[in-house]
Every structure is written in C-alpha cells, then in structure tokens.
Amino acid sequence: MTDALEELESLLPELPQALERRTLGESLARVASLLKDITLAAHRLSDTYDIAEMIGFGDVPEAAEKISDMSDIARHLASLLEGANDATTLHQIERDFPELKAAIGAAFSAMKQRWRTEVAAEYRPFLSLGQLLAKIDHDSTLGARMVKLGEDANTSLNVTQTDQFKQVVANLIDTRARLESEKTSFTSDEEVDNFLSALAQNQAKLGSVTPDILRWLAEHDALDLFEVRPIG
C-alpha cells in the first residue's frame, strides 16, 4: 500500500499535463472528424466567390455586405486552423465552424435570388424570341436553341449545389453570348436586332417599326406573324 501511495504521489505533478494531453487529443479527434466538412466548406466558399463574380453579385451594397461577412468568418477560421496548437483553439474551431457554413448558405441563397431576377430579365425573353425566329426561318436552328436556353435558365433555378450551380450558370452565360452574336448575324441590322429584342421583352412600340424593319420582316415573310393592338 505504501508503495502504491508513493507511486501515486510521484504521478500527481504530471496529472495536469496528462489531462491536458488527453483533452487536446479528444479535441484533435473531434476536429479531425470535421476536416472533411471543412474541406467541403472551402470548396463551397470558392464556388460562391466564383458565382458572385460571374453574375455581378457584389455590385449591390447589400450583397457586398454578405460577401464581406462570409470572408471575415472564413479568414477568422483559417487563422484558427493555422495556429491550432492547444485544446482551447480546437474548441474554438468547433464552435465557429457552423457560423461559416451559415454565412456561405446565406450568401448562396441571396445569389440564387439575384440569379432569379437575372433569368427573368435576360434569359426568359429568349423563349418568345426563339419561337418567333423559328417561325421566321424554318431552316435555322437558332430559334430552337434560343428556346432551349430560356428553358435551361428556368431549370437552373432548381439547382441547389454550389459546384453544379456554378457550372450551369457559366454554361448559360456562354451560350447566351454566343446566341446573341448569332442573332446579330442573322438580322444583319442593328435596328432590326434591337426591335426583335424589345419585342421579346414585350417592350416594342408601333413607333419603333421603321421602314427598314418593315422591309426586313417583309423579306422574311414575317409580316403576318404580327398584329397591332391598343395598350390597355
């Protein structure tokens, strides 16, 4: 018994360090299990920055604030990870990580809302414009591809993963630019081009139908595709 007491007394000074090592080890184990989530969050963070740049999300003050908040939290967490060498810091990482996930989610949700507005203004008109061009020129695939662009843009609103959404948006932006260029080549007239674009957005007025536009429509046997109605 005396020997056991003496051994216990000799271990007492080492007990705090042993407990600290155990606490550190437990914290490391928990943080290690978070590493996969942290890696995924880092990818989502990168995708979110890319999406913001593609759709001009940061141009709006309220949106820029969400990006700034997300960046601040990410930098804070990165600093903790770089200097993590004790149980206290590891606990802090565990506590703060959900805040980063929430910030990324909030920014992404706001971007989706911004994209919804973009789709309505810049992509949905391609549906009606494509249908019109398909009637004007049956041999061209331009109209059908414009319709598909509008449909794909509507479908993009249902994408929930940041990496998939980024790829879909990038494809839509590229396709839209290409079709806009083809539309300009198809009409070969800026005035006609602007008229068709306004028509697709229900913004064309009778006063905008110039002799050149009438001539172009007549040349493409498209005059009977239109009718005049009063507003209201």
Side-chain angles (χ1 to χ4, degrees), residues 58-144:
D59 297 342
V60 181
E62 295 80 3
E65 184 177 351
K66 287 188 179 296
I67 293 291
S68 178
D69 291 344
M70 183 180 68
S71 298
D72 289 344
I73 297 170
R75 280 192 293 266
H76 167 67
L77 191 63
S79 177
L80 290 176
L81 286 166
E82 289 175 353
N85 58 5
D86 55 48
T88 300
T89 305
L90 294 175
H91 279 307
Q92 189 68 44
I93 291 170
E94 291 180 83
R95 287 193 297 269
D96 293 353
F97 177 61
E99 189 176 355
L100 175 62
K101 291 177 66 177
I104 294 174
F108 183 55
S109 295
M111 288 179 193
K112 291 286 295 293
Q113 188 58 44
R114 170 68 179 272
W115 178 245
R116 183 177 296 277
T117 302
E118 185 85 1
V119 166
E122 302 296 337
Y123 288 84
R124 205 160 288 154
F126 275 87
L127 288 167
S128 54
L129 180 56
Q131 291 167 355
L132 174 61
L133 292 182
K135 293 176 182 178
I136 290 176
D137 190 340
H138 300 288
D139 297 328
S140 174
T141 63
L142 178 59

Side-chain angles (χ1 to χ4, degrees), residues 189-211:
D189 188 309
E190 183 179 358
E191 194 173 45
V192 175
D193 188 36
N194 292 336
F195 169 73
L196 292 177
S197 296
L199 192 67
Q201 298 175 0
N202 293 319
Q203 295 177 354
K205 299 293 191 298
L206 186 59
S208 64
V209 183
T210 65

Side-chain angles (χ1 to χ4, degrees), residues 13-35:
E14 300 178 11
L15 188 57
Q17 292 181 349
L19 290 174
E20 183 178 354
R21 286 194 298 271
R22 179 180 176 182
T23 302
L24 180 59
E26 291 172 348
S27 298
L28 279 170
R30 288 195 299 271
V31 171
S33 69
L34 278 177
L35 283 179

